Amino acid sequence: MTATGSAPSPVPAARAAAAPAAASLLNIETTSDLTPKAGQGALTPGVPWTGNMGLSVVNVLGDWTSTVSLSPFRGKNTGRTVTPVASYSAPETNCALIPLLSLKKSPGVSNLPLSATPINAKTGGGVACVTSWTATINITVPNDNLLADEYSATLTHSMF
């Protein structure tokens, strides 16, 4: 199952559509949009930007792995692409049938470099794994070689 969201400039926001996989035996769902950290507004070239996005997993089958990727920013009118410097972080969480009963840990990850190539981010599992986390996405768009335009990129989370 893949959840994909676009982050248009000047105000980044990712909308992810969740779809059930394998007859709803594995499900990833965004629980919030990609929202700027307090005090931050629009993504500005050359200035680090941080956003958070809530995710949850319900898995009946066993172990799972999530991958994350971020496409280059593409200009709406010029078609120009700009590759950001970006990273993904997520805290350690518990997989549990009942939220108070920890069955298996899902390790945290810190500052994994993001690119258009998917990378393994979080893993977890166990019978009837229910877990959620808030991911932190850091993005810096270079401020050189830009043309005036509206740029957007796609942040993709996949589960298998």
Side-chain angles (χ1 to χ4, degrees), residues 8-9 73-81 147-152:
S9 176
F73 281 75
R74 179 174 300 278
K76 179 179 179 180
N77 299 311
T78 63
R80 183 169 193 88
T81 59
L147 298 174
D149 203 343
E150 181 180 324
Y151 291 84
S152 64

Side-chain angles (χ1 to χ4, degrees), residues 58-80:
V58 176
N59 182 28
V60 177
L61 296 176
D63 293 343
W64 53 266
T65 298
S66 71
T67 62
V68 181
S69 63
L70 178 66
S71 71
F73 281 75
R74 179 174 300 278
K76 179 179 179 180
N77 299 311
T78 63
R80 183 169 193 88

Side-chain angles (χ1 to χ4, degrees), residues 74-141:
R74 179 174 300 278
K76 179 179 179 180
N77 299 311
T78 63
R80 183 169 193 88
T81 59
V82 178
T83 302
V85 175
S87 66
Y88 178 91
S89 298
E92 178 181 90
T93 58
N94 293 317
C95 279
L97 177 58
I98 301 170
L100 301 176
L101 176 64
S102 296
L103 297 177
K104 189 172 182 182
K105 298 264 185 218
S106 173
V109 295
S110 182
N111 295 315
L112 296 174
L114 290 177
S115 70
T117 303
I119 57 165
N120 289 345
K122 293 235 338 143
T123 59
V127 177
C129 174
V130 177
T131 192
S132 62
W133 65 92
T134 299
T136 300
I137 315 302
N138 295 300
I139 302 172
T140 301
V141 174

Side-chain angles (χ1 to χ4, degrees), residues 13-25:
R15 303 247 187 246
S24 298
L25 296 177

